Amino acid sequence: MISPLPRIWRRAPIAALFALGSALVPAVRLDAQSTPPRPLRSTVFAPDSGRIRTNPNGNLSRSIVDTLTPTLSKLEMHETTLAPGNAPHAPHRHAHEEVIFVKRGTLDVLQENVTRRAGAGSVIFMASNELHGVKNVGTTRASYLVIRYDPHDMPPDAGPAYAAAGAAQAVLRALPDSTRAVAAFPFDTSERSNWFFIPLDRKGLTLKRMPAGMRPLVDTLLRTALSPSGFATAKGIMHHEGILGAIEAGMTFAPGVTRNVRDSTKYYVSVFGTPSPDSAWGWRVEGHHLSVNYTGAGAEGQVVAPLFMGSNPARVLSGPSQGLRLLAAEEDVGRELVLMLSPERRARAIFSDTAFGEMITRNDPKARPLVAEGLRAGDMSPGEQAVLRRLLDVYAGRMSGAARQHAVKDIDDAGFAELRFGWAGATVVGAPHYYRIHGPTVLVEYDNVQTNANHIHTVWRDLRHDFGGDLLGAHYKKHPHVRK
């Protein structure tokens, strides 16, 4: 997808752009090794000095400055020149933000799942922890200037916790006083665990009630908890409400049955506590078939659980979106695993011939372990274990890298062999079925029974850390004063 590059301007550091288009494109690196370093004062960087590095692929990199200023803990600038067809590195993400000024040439700019075209004179803004990259798509060399700036309160190892807190603060700051109170709650409120996934009215602020132009801030917030694929699925679920609404518009309902209003903007944002990378707080984005619950516990880590995603219809049967399957991998990989099991192991995995009408734990505020049914991972063949890991990662892969790494480590530390894969119902496509992955630290439930087995509900529950759980206990031991 190619779209025009928007003009994006930021606060004070953008003042550094005043001379970027002139002949004084800098080439000086200030000494950042002095002890202590002296804050950079007003200056002009000359074009004929500095350090230039030539990379093996023919790219040039000119270091300009890397130091602190009176208001920034770090100001780093460098100029990169790319040969045609080259990129400086693979797409990546980092905590700090960057502004890029394109001097000459034509770049394709990747920003999460969107590619934009940037020519000479374009200004690019790269937000914290968003996947990004650039590539010279012209026939001549392309040059651009990169400006990185870190505020004084940003620690050198800032990462996901800092990005999440900043994104939540941005959401709250953008709200008028009259609606901010609707979205903000104390951290210790019972509302934080009052989650659900059906189309009902909730507490919090809907996307519909937000000021114009504010929804991208919610997207940024979601990206701090979700992987690129998880974010795309979440946005797809919201869009799916319109598809479901169009389907139901052509249906006849029984007398007395109230038709639900399908609205892609009826998703609620709630922030619990004061967003900070050092304290306990959280947020939730929730509506029909989507519930993303984020809890920050300072240095102890971040948790994205419960994480619910659903789809009705699971497969769109007609219309412009015919064939669309939002949760295809969840269904297909689960069925692949149960069908590849040997007859003896499949008999142990299938613990009921009848699927349940809903996930067993539904919207329980506290995750609970279920009866240990199904086939142990330790009793599977290596090939079957590999598919179980792949299925587990379908769900863990929805989360941000940090949250996924923490959850998978917990599973492995508790013993991957202790996971159980259980199936209920038929194994043929189109018939009602249910499965779960259950272990000492995790519960994944999948259910596809409703609407003629074309309506999927899935959830990831962290048996130790749902809504923070044990991580909050560890955080409060270290910081008892922050519990309010």
Side-chain angles (χ1 to χ4, degrees), residues 195-197 233 237 289-293 306-312 314 326-332 358-363 391 394-396 398 433-436 443-450 455-461:
W195 72 285
F196 223 144
F197 48 84
T233 302
I237 290 169
H289 281 160
L290 179 68
S291 184
V292 183
N293 296 272
L307 177 55
F308 178 97
M309 292 184 172
S311 178
N312 177 25
L326 281 178
L327 303 178
E330 288 80 351
E331 178 175 358
D332 294 347
E358 182 55 273
M359 302 180 310
I360 295 175
T361 56
R362 296 179 180 268
N363 67 318
L391 178 60
V394 168
Y395 293 91
R398 295 169 170 177
H433 58 288
Y434 162 99
Y435 70 75
R436 68 176 179 245
L443 171 65
V444 171
E445 286 195 273
Y446 164 104
D447 188 82
N448 189 354
V449 174
Q450 302 176 47
H455 185 154
I456 293 175
H457 287 174
T458 71
V459 71
W460 172 284
R461 303 298 301 260

Side-chain angles (χ1 to χ4, degrees), residues 44-192:
V44 172
F45 300 105
D48 57 351
S49 59
R51 187 176 64 185
I52 300 176
R53 184 176 71 251
T54 302
N55 299 322
N57 57 6
N59 297 337
L60 301 178
S61 178
R62 183 192 300 271
S63 180
I64 300 162
V65 64
D66 187 352
T67 188
L68 56 79
T69 78
T71 62
L72 299 174
S73 64
K74 183 181 183 68
L75 173 65
E76 189 271 329
M77 294 192 289
H78 64 270
E79 180 185 0
T80 297
T81 300
L82 300 178
N86 280 3
H89 42 64
H92 63 300
R93 56 181 88 232
H94 43 61
H96 62 265
E97 297 174 338
E98 293 176 336
V99 173
I100 299 175
F101 176 82
V102 183
K103 290 176 55 188
R104 62 176 180 269
T106 304
L107 301 176
D108 266 3
V109 182
L110 172 67
Q111 295 172 314
E112 288 293 349
N113 61 337
V114 177
T115 299
R116 298 181 169 99
R117 185 63 52 83
S122 296
V123 178
I124 305 162
F125 172 65
M126 299 298 194
S128 172
N129 277 300
E130 289 194 1
L131 184 70
H132 63 275
V134 299
K135 181 179 180 179
N136 181 1
V137 293
T139 58
T140 61
R141 288 181 175 271
S143 295
Y144 56 91
L145 185 68
V146 179
I147 302 175
R148 166 189 172 175
Y149 50 93
D150 298 350
H152 271 299
D153 58 353
M154 184 173 185
D157 59 347
Y162 192 92
Q169 290 168 0
V171 168
L172 294 176
R173 281 196 302 265
L175 291 173
D177 293 342
S178 58
T179 54
R180 187 178 300 116
V182 178
F185 300 84
F187 181 70
D188 59 1
T189 177
S190 61
E191 176 60 26
R192 193 166 67 88

Side-chain angles (χ1 to χ4, degrees), residues 331-342:
E331 178 175 358
D332 294 347
V333 181
R335 182 175 289 109
E336 177 186 351
L337 177 56
V338 74
L339 290 179
M340 76 181 295
L341 297 172
S342 68

Side-chain angles (χ1 to χ4, degrees), residues 120-365:
S122 296
V123 178
I124 305 162
F125 172 65
M126 299 298 194
S128 172
N129 277 300
E130 289 194 1
L131 184 70
H132 63 275
V134 299
K135 181 179 180 179
N136 181 1
V137 293
T139 58
T140 61
R141 288 181 175 271
S143 295
Y144 56 91
L145 185 68
V146 179
I147 302 175
R148 166 189 172 175
Y149 50 93
D150 298 350
H152 271 299
D153 58 353
M154 184 173 185
D157 59 347
Y162 192 92
Q169 290 168 0
V171 168
L172 294 176
R173 281 196 302 265
L175 291 173
D177 293 342
S178 58
T179 54
R180 187 178 300 116
V182 178
F185 300 84
F187 181 70
D188 59 1
T189 177
S190 61
E191 176 60 26
R192 193 166 67 88
S193 58
N194 183 29
W195 72 285
F196 223 144
F197 48 84
I198 62 175
L200 48 71
D201 292 334
R202 293 161 164 80
K203 291 186 178 180
L205 184 66
T206 61
L207 299 177
K208 177 177 284 188
R209 288 188 60 190
M210 291 182 178
M214 192 182 154
R215 291 178 196 173
L217 296 179
V218 178
D219 288 348
T220 299
L221 184 66
L222 277 169
R223 285 189 173 109
T224 66
L226 302 177
S227 66
S229 63
F231 173 76
T233 302
K235 296 291 285 187
I237 290 169
M238 294 179 184
H239 178 73
H240 219 60
E241 283 296 277
I243 296 174
L244 180 57
I247 293 171
E248 291 180 340
M251 296 171 59
T252 301
F253 287 79
V257 175
T258 302
R259 177 182 298 172
N260 287 307
V261 175
R262 307 301 182 184
D263 186 349
S264 294
T265 63
K266 194 178 179 181
Y267 286 83
Y268 295 74
V269 179
S270 304
V271 178
F272 302 98
T274 301
S276 167
D278 304 313
S279 63
W281 70 285
W283 58 263
R284 179 175 69 214
V285 173
E286 184 178 85
H288 187 212
H289 281 160
L290 179 68
S291 184
V292 183
N293 296 272
Y294 172 98
T295 306
E300 280 65 47
Q302 299 81 47
V303 177
V304 183
L307 177 55
F308 178 97
M309 292 184 172
S311 178
N312 177 25
R315 180 195 294 271
V316 180
L317 301 178
S318 62
S321 299
Q322 182 175 358
L324 175 64
R325 300 173 65 210
L326 281 178
L327 303 178
E330 288 80 351
E331 178 175 358
D332 294 347
V333 181
R335 182 175 289 109
E336 177 186 351
L337 177 56
V338 74
L339 290 179
M340 76 181 295
L341 297 172
S342 68
E344 184 272 331
R345 287 195 288 271
R346 188 182 307 147
R348 281 191 278 164
I350 300 177
F351 62 92
S352 172
D353 293 331
T354 304
F356 310 119
E358 182 55 273
M359 302 180 310
I360 295 175
T361 56
R362 296 179 180 268
N363 67 318
D364 290 354

Side-chain angles (χ1 to χ4, degrees), residues 347-482:
R348 281 191 278 164
I350 300 177
F351 62 92
S352 172
D353 293 331
T354 304
F356 310 119
E358 182 55 273
M359 302 180 310
I360 295 175
T361 56
R362 296 179 180 268
N363 67 318
D364 290 354
K366 181 173 177 58
R368 55 188 169 92
L370 302 180
V371 176
E373 296 177 298
L375 178 66
R376 284 181 69 252
D379 296 331
M380 294 179 177
S381 71
E384 293 160 356
Q385 290 179 353
V387 176
L388 176 59
R389 278 199 180 272
R390 180 152 56 90
L391 178 60
L392 190 67
D393 204 51
V394 168
Y395 293 91
R398 295 169 170 177
M399 297 182 275
S400 67
R404 176 192 174 279
Q405 183 179 17
H406 190 277
V408 171
K409 183 179 184 300
D410 272 359
I411 291 169
D412 287 335
D413 287 350
F416 178 81
E418 299 308 312
L419 291 178
R420 288 181 177 268
F421 173 72
W423 185 280
T427 60
V428 296
V429 176
H433 58 288
Y434 162 99
Y435 70 75
R436 68 176 179 245
I437 304 170
H438 184 202
T441 66
V442 69
L443 171 65
V444 171
E445 286 195 273
Y446 164 104
D447 188 82
N448 189 354
V449 174
Q450 302 176 47
T451 322
N452 299 316
N454 194 28
H455 185 154
I456 293 175
H457 287 174
T458 71
V459 71
W460 172 284
R461 303 298 301 260
D462 191 317
L463 299 181
R464 295 178 181 173
H465 302 139
D466 255 12
F467 299 109
D470 292 352
L471 289 185
L472 287 179
H475 177 77
Y476 290 139
K477 276 188 175 181
K478 293 181 181 178
H479 311 282
H481 60 287
V482 301

